[in-house]
Amino acid sequence: MADSASLITLVEWLTGEFDNQPQALEQPAWFVHLRLWHRLLPIRLGGHPVIFAEQANALYLDRPYRQRVLVLQDIQPDRWQVHYLAFKHPEQVKGAGVKPSLLDNLSLSDFDELPGCELSVAFVGSKFVATPQPDARCCFQYDGQTRQVVLGFEVGDRQFTSFDRGV
């Protein structure tokens, strides 16, 4: 099945490099200046487009963290879904935001499922709005501990806003 024009737009708007410098300057006690990379992967999972995500503190771009994968799919003509996956060995792709060639040889066997880490996406006004399923618990392993995060984002043709926050 071919991707819908709307899914193609969602992928295009999500792909790029983003930072939160205005937010970090406005509220430095609450927000660190971060850089976020979204890179379209050369592979598809289940026929669906896949985006690599990585972020880093803007002061330490050489120490990126939180590598993950977003699988995007059409659900209905006006509804989409984003399913997050983790890397089995995130150190193998560490720094791929800056050096995308690290992503060239990925396969399905490089990923782990992240149950509960799914977003429903709708087009609202002039942007896509992604929200978690009711009562979803998105958990992942980091530094040998299980962490929980609440996911969400809004993306338009000129702005990406992430609502990810740790619990």
Side-chain angles (χ1 to χ4, degrees):
M1 180 171 122
D3 298 330
S4 69
S6 297
L7 181 64
I8 292 168
T9 299
L10 174 59
V11 169
E12 288 174 353
W13 288 0
L14 278 174
T15 304
E17 189 172 317
F18 309 94
D19 77 40
N20 69 334
Q21 186 176 32
Q23 179 188 46
L25 290 172
E26 185 178 306
Q27 299 178 22
W30 293 101
F31 297 100
V32 172
H33 182 191
L34 298 174
R35 178 86 33 92
L36 172 68
W37 296 272
H38 281 168
R39 304 280 185 224
L40 185 62
L41 292 179
I43 62 170
R44 293 173 71 89
L45 297 179
H48 306 295
V50 181
I51 293 176
F52 166 80
E54 182 174 59
Q55 69 185 41
N57 182 313
L59 295 175
Y60 308 105
L61 294 178
D62 60 329
R63 291 188 250 162
Y65 60 94
R66 206 163 164 222
Q67 296 83 5
R68 59 205 174 278
V69 170
L70 294 75
V71 181
L72 298 97
Q73 64 186 79
D74 286 307
I75 300 298
Q76 298 174 356
D78 61 347
R79 297 277 177 204
W80 306 269
Q81 184 175 37
V82 176
H83 180 76
Y84 288 78
L85 301 175
F87 285 94
K88 289 180 180 174
H89 305 286
E91 65 282 355
Q92 291 178 335
V93 295
K94 187 175 183 177
V98 173
K99 189 177 178 186
S101 62
L102 294 172
L103 304 169
D104 288 347
N105 298 311
L106 293 175
S107 69
L108 182 57
S109 64
D110 293 313
F111 308 114
D112 279 331
E113 291 290 324
L114 287 173
C117 300
E118 295 178 353
L119 299 174
S120 297
V121 183
F123 194 75
V124 179
S126 60
K127 60 189 170 193
F128 292 94
V129 177
T131 56
Q133 303 292 329
D135 301 319
R137 286 184 41 108
C138 177
C139 297
F140 61 96
Q141 296 296 313
Y142 183 76
D143 280 343
Q145 296 182 6
T146 300
R147 311 280 177 121
Q148 183 179 349
V149 66
V150 175
L151 303 169
F153 65 80
E154 293 179 359
V155 66
D157 67 342
R158 299 186 191 273
Q159 182 171 355
F160 173 79
T161 303
S162 173
F163 300 112
D164 293 7
R165 67 183 189 284
V167 176

